[in-house]
Amino acid sequence: GINLSHRDFSFGLRLDRCTFYNNFNLNGGSVRYLYLQRSILKGAIFAQSLNVSQDVFLRGNFVAKGQVDFNSAKIGGQFDCSGAQFEHEGEGCLVAFYIDVSQSIILSSGFVAKGQVDFSGAKIGGQFDCSGAQFEHEGEKCLLAFNIDVSHSVILRGNFVAKGQVSFNSAKIGGQFDCSGAQFEHEGEECLVAFNIEVFQDVFLRNGFVAKGQVSFNSAKIGGQFSCIGGQFEHEGEKCLYLQRIDVSHSVILRDGFFAKGQVNFSGAKI
C-alpha cells in the first residue's frame, strides 16, 4: 500500500487513471489538493483528519471497491464525487462524519453508492448536492446526515433514488431541502427521517416525489413552505407522512395529484 500518513505536502496530489490494489493512507496529513479522477481503488482510502487547502476530486468514473474514510477531514474547497461509484456492501462505503468542507459537497451526475454513506455532523459552507444520485443499502440506512450543518441548500432531486433509510435528523439547512422528483424506498420502515430538522427556506417533496415507507418530519422547523404537490406517499396501515409538532412559517401544500396510502399526521402542528 501507499502510506503517507502524518506527512505534510506543500503541493497537491494528482493521480489520474490509476489502479490502487492496496490501501492508500493519508491519515493526519496535509496537501494542497487531492485529485483521484478516473482511478480505481481496490483497497481503502484512509484520510481521517486530512487537511486539504483546496479541492478533493473523486470523480469522473472514479471507482472504490473498499471503504473511503474522510472522518474529521478539513477541505478548503469542494468535495466532489460526481459520477463516482462506491461499492462496499455491508460496511460504510463512504464515511465522512464531522468533515468540514468550505464549499460544496457534490454527489451527483451518476454518483452510485452500494453500502452506507455517512456525513453525520458534517459542516458544509455551500450546498449538499445529491441530484441524480443513487444510494443502495436495502434494509439498512443508506444515507446518514444527522446533525449536518449546510449553509446553502440540500438537493436530492433529478432522479435521486434511495433504497434504504435516509436520515437528516437534527440537520440545519440554510437554504432549501429539495426532493423534487426523488424516490425513497424502504418499505415497512422509515424511508426519509428528518426529526428536529431546521430548514430556513422551503421543503419540496413534489413533482414526481415517491416515498415507499414512512416520511417523518416530526418537530421540524421550516422557514418557508412545505410543498407536496403531486407527491406520492405509500405506507399502508401505518403513518405514511408523519408531521407531528411541525412548525411551518408559510403554507403546507398537499394538492394537484398528492396521494397518500396510509395515515397523514399533523398533530400539534403550527402553520
Side-chain angles (χ1 to χ4, degrees), residues 183-199:
Q183 295 183 47
F184 295 82
E185 300 178 18
H186 197 205
E187 295 190 45
E189 303 288 344
E190 294 168 322
C191 61
L192 174 57
V193 188
F195 296 160
N196 298 309
I197 193 172
E198 184 175 2
V199 182

Side-chain angles (χ1 to χ4, degrees), residues 29-261:
S30 64
V31 66
R32 182 176 294 176
Y33 57 80
L34 179 63
Y35 297 169
L36 299 178
Q37 301 175 100
R38 296 175 291 275
S39 291
I40 298 173
L41 179 73
K42 295 189 176 181
I45 292 180
F46 300 115
Q48 294 183 14
S49 301
L50 178 67
N51 192 329
V52 182
S53 55
Q54 297 178 15
D55 302 311
V56 172
F57 290 161
L58 310 179
R59 66 182 187 185
N61 297 318
F62 172 86
V63 176
K65 303 279 188 181
Q67 185 177 81
V68 175
D69 183 349
F70 277 83
N71 290 340
S72 301
K74 187 172 182 180
I75 315 299
Q78 294 182 338
F79 187 86
D80 187 351
C81 301
S82 51
Q85 296 182 47
F86 295 80
E87 303 175 13
H88 198 212
E89 296 187 46
E91 300 285 344
C93 62
L94 175 55
V95 184
F97 47 83
Y98 299 112
I99 194 172
D100 186 337
V101 180
S102 295
Q103 296 182 24
S104 296
I105 291 178
I106 304 170
L107 314 178
S108 64
S109 305
F111 173 93
V112 175
K114 294 181 178 180
Q116 187 178 94
V117 175
D118 192 345
F119 281 94
S120 298
K123 185 176 181 182
I124 303 167
Q127 296 182 333
F128 186 56
D129 183 1
C130 301
S131 51
Q134 295 183 45
F135 295 84
E136 300 179 19
H137 199 204
E138 294 191 48
E140 303 289 343
K141 296 177 175 67
C142 63
L143 175 58
L144 291 175
F146 52 83
N147 291 315
I148 198 171
D149 187 338
V150 183
S151 295
H152 295 169
S153 295
V154 170
I155 305 170
L156 314 178
R157 68 183 181 200
N159 297 317
F160 172 93
V161 176
K163 294 181 179 181
Q165 186 184 97
V166 174
S167 175
F168 278 84
N169 289 344
S170 300
K172 184 177 181 181
I173 300 167
Q176 297 177 339
F177 187 80
D178 188 356
C179 301
S180 302
Q183 295 183 47
F184 295 82
E185 300 178 18
H186 197 205
E187 295 190 45
E189 303 288 344
E190 294 168 322
C191 61
L192 174 57
V193 188
F195 296 160
N196 298 309
I197 193 172
E198 184 175 2
V199 182
F200 281 73
Q201 296 182 21
D202 305 307
V203 172
F204 294 137
L205 312 179
R206 64 181 187 181
N207 298 345
F209 173 92
V210 176
K212 294 181 179 180
Q214 185 181 99
V215 175
S216 301
F217 278 80
N218 289 352
S219 301
K221 186 174 182 180
I222 314 301
Q225 60 179 311
F226 189 93
S227 176
C228 300
I229 293 172
Q232 296 184 41
F233 300 79
E234 301 179 20
H235 196 206
E236 291 191 61
E238 302 288 343
K239 299 180 181 72
C240 63
L241 181 55
Y242 199 21
L243 305 174
Q244 194 173 37
R245 297 183 300 277
I246 194 171
D247 185 336
V248 182
S249 295
H250 293 176
S251 301
V252 173
I253 307 171
L254 315 177
R255 68 180 190 203
D256 298 339
F258 170 85
F259 176 82
K261 186 179 286 187

